């Protein structure tokens, strides 16, 4: 148990506690945290008057954590009675992928004179140099743990999908999830919302009730043989009293989903979208999908599925971009807003996937018809623009090295620059991100597998329109755990900061020597 040496000022001050567990499988974790915090409070003559709890909540970000949000809101907006917050350890405060986000949350409390105390950490969070270093290190370790865990979990999911097992998501109309043990013995049919409770158990998709399977086949017959569009098929099913797997009426979108999802021909497809580390929702390209064809029993012939797909694809193929945008404008005028669901539900309008394919993203299609969603998607455009700008920056650095009597070639596989056949250089663009406190932070992502001799980091300005400064970081002097993510990063890092790369180009120059007689 940690004993702080200078806690006299807190002995009569009431405190709050914050506890968090990541999943429902850790249902006893908050009790254990509260017990340890209570022992710490008693040992230091503190009185816990308020508890904030996030049960079954990920620590990757503050979104979805009402307990921490309420804590910060109380601290900011009300005259709280407690003067300190007790947390079990730094990881319970959060495993933020960006350690600075955890620092901002803590700084919010400190600005109001409320100290955050980590009860189980082997140091005192007193603002001293040693504690600041330890807190930063622990935050980085928590972030790295999340990154490593994400990679391992994804690898595990990929392996299971390629072996034909179902990974997450509702089975859909006409299908059911079957639970099996590690010897493939059938255990049960999982109802909606049920999950497997034993780690070695697996889930397969199997055909559902015979009447649902027959309805799926009827949908394909009505679409292929009778030429009915999705809206008419939905109306026909509703008149017959057939409900979806959610017990709802059929719509154009739900019929469209049956006609386009490969699970009905037995294919197991995973990673169409991703939300790694809960940072950014991403719609992945087909080459990133993980698939296992023929993983489940098919309830629709593959030929029928491919015919339906061809018809749906051809519906938008004959429209040029201006015609597609005109239809989108009409939809916007009709509803006053746009979404993938609205697009998929509208007769005579290409599907949302068709707009993504033709225009690169729904966001770009929206902007072309003058629709700006309430949610701020600007960061997506910024990331896209910075990815587009990266090859230009690499080319500019190559040109300047060559014009300065050096020579350079680029590795076609990993974009590393090989300078003078002597050392390698990796070029990274860091996006600028304002924090709630009004300062700036830079997101720096390194491919640790490259191991360049020098990493050139171009930090963008506040508008991400041009480079603010550069860091020329030799691998021998820095690690991926210590990166220039803040405005001021201390002498150890800022010694490598430069406003331009002129000095770097000078160092890469080679001067020919006359041969001695």
């Amino acid at each position: 148990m940690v004993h702080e040496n200078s806690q006299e000022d807190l002995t009569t001050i009431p405190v709050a506690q914050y506890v968090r567990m990541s999943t429902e499988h850790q249902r006893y974790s908050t009790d254990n945290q509260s017990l340890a915090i209570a022992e710490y409070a008693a040992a230091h003559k503190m009185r816990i008057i308020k508890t904030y709890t996030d049960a079954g909540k990920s620590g990757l970000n503050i979104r979805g954590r009402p307990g921490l949000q309420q804590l910060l809101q109380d601290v900011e907006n009300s005259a709280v009675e407690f003067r300190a917050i007790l947390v079990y350890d730094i990881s319970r405060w959060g495993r933020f992928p960006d350690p600075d986000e955890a620092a901002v949350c803590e700084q919010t409390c400190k600005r109001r004179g409320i100290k955050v105390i980590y009860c189980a950490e082997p140091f005192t969070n007193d603002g001293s140099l040693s504690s600041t270093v330890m807190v930063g290190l622990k935050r980085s370790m928590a972030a790295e743990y999340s990154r490593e865990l994400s990679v391992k979990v994804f690898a595990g999911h990929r392996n299971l999908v390629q072996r034909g097992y179902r990974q997450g998501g509702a089975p859909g109309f006409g299908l059911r999830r079957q639970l099996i043990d590690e010897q493939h013995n059938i255990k049960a049919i999982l109802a909606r919302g049920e999950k497997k409770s034993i780690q070695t158990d697996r889930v397969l998709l199997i055909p559902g009730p015979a009447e649902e399977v027959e309805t799926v086949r009827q949908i394909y017959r009505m679409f292929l043989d009778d030429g009915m569009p999705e809206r008419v098929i939905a109306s026909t099913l509703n008149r017959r009293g057939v409900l979806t797997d959610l017990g709802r009426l059929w719509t154009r979108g739900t019929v469209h989903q049956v006609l386009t999802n490969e699970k009905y021909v037995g294919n197991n497809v995973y990673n169409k979208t991703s939300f790694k580390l809960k940072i950014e929702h991403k719609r992945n390209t087909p080459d990133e999908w993980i698939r296992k064809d023929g993983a489940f029993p098919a309830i629709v012939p593959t030929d029928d599925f491919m015919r339906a797909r061809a018809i749906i694809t051809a519906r938008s193929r004959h429209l040029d971009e201006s015609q597609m945008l005109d239809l989108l404008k009409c939809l916007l005028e009709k509803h006053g807003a746009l979404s993938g669901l609205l697009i998929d539900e509208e007769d005579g309008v290409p599907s949302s996937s068709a707009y993504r394919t033709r225009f690169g993203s729904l966001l770009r299609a929206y902007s072309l018809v003058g629709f700006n969603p309430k949610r701020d998607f600007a960061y997506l455009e910024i990331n896209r623009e910075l990815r587009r700008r990266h090859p230009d920056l690499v080319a500019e650095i190559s040109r300047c090295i060559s014009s300065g009597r050096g020579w350079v070639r680029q590795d076609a596989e990993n974009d590393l620059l090989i300078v003078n056949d002597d050392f390698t250089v990796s070029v990274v663009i860091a996006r600028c991100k304002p924090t709630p406190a009004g300062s700036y932070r830079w997101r720096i992502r390194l491919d640790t597998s490259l191991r360049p001799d020098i990493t050139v980091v171009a930090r963008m300005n506040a508008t991400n329109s041009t480079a603010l400064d550069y860091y020329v970081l030799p691998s021998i002097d820095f690690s991926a755990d210590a990166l220039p993510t803040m405005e001021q990063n201390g002498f150890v890092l800022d010694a490598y900061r430069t406003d331009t790369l002129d000095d770097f180009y000078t160092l890469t120059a080679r001067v020919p020597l006359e041969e001695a007689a």
Side-chain angles (χ1 to χ4, degrees), residues 385-403 407-419 424-430 450 452 454-458 460 467 470 501 504-505 508:
E385 175 62 22
L386 294 184
R387 286 195 296 269
R388 186 195 64 77
R389 189 173 297 181
H390 183 266
D392 296 337
L393 178 60
V394 173
E396 178 186 352
I397 292 176
S398 298
R399 178 180 56 79
C400 291
I401 292 175
S402 299
S403 63
W407 61 92
V408 61
R409 57 188 175 89
Q410 186 173 352
D411 191 311
E413 293 185 2
N414 52 34
D415 288 337
L416 278 180
L417 297 180
I418 304 172
V419 181
T424 56
V425 176
S426 175
V427 180
V428 176
I429 296 180
L450 296 181
I454 292 176
T455 298
V456 175
V457 177
M460 303 303 288
Y470 301 88
L501 291 175
F504 171 70
Y505 297 140
T508 64

Side-chain angles (χ1 to χ4, degrees), residues 10-178:
L10 292 178
T11 56
T12 60
I13 297 177
V15 297
Q17 65 173 335
Y18 173 74
V19 294
R20 179 187 67 82
M21 66 179 185
S22 300
T23 70
E24 296 299 336
H25 296 295
Q26 299 173 328
R27 59 186 179 275
Y28 301 118
S29 175
T30 53
D31 293 338
N32 294 336
Q33 292 172 52
S34 295
L35 179 60
I37 290 172
E39 291 176 353
Y40 181 94
H44 293 81
K45 301 179 182 179
M46 299 176 187
R47 179 167 52 93
I48 299 173
I49 64 170
K50 193 171 182 62
T51 296
Y52 297 90
T53 303
D54 280 320
K57 303 297 182 181
S58 168
L60 291 175
N61 56 47
I62 196 171
R63 295 187 299 275
R65 293 169 65 184
L68 183 56
Q69 291 180 27
Q70 186 63 53
L71 186 158
L72 297 176
Q73 183 178 337
D74 289 350
V75 168
E76 286 275 24
N77 301 327
S78 62
V80 294
E81 297 182 8
F82 55 84
R83 305 312 303 160
I85 301 166
L86 304 185
V87 187
Y88 181 72
D89 64 13
I90 288 176
S91 70
R92 295 302 90 195
W93 189 249
R95 299 186 188 276
F96 297 93
D98 182 357
D100 292 332
E101 192 171 354
V104 169
C105 293
E106 182 175 331
Q107 185 63 30
T108 299
C109 301
K110 293 173 68 175
R111 281 203 316 269
R112 297 286 181 169
I114 298 175
K115 190 174 183 180
V116 178
I117 299 174
Y118 302 111
C119 303
E121 297 292 0
F123 55 83
T124 301
N125 188 22
D126 57 4
S128 64
L129 176 61
S130 59
S131 72
T132 300
V133 171
M134 288 302 298
V135 169
L137 178 61
K138 285 273 190 171
R139 286 176 182 150
S140 297
M141 290 170 61
E144 185 60 26
Y145 171 84
S146 295
R147 283 191 286 268
E148 290 181 355
L149 183 61
S150 175
V151 172
K152 292 176 181 177
V153 169
F154 180 76
H157 287 178
R158 177 177 56 194
N159 177 55
L160 292 175
V161 169
Q162 291 173 338
R163 292 172 61 188
Y165 300 121
R166 175 76 171 176
Q167 284 301 114
F173 186 83
L175 299 167
R176 293 294 185 270
R177 294 177 301 149
Q178 184 180 75

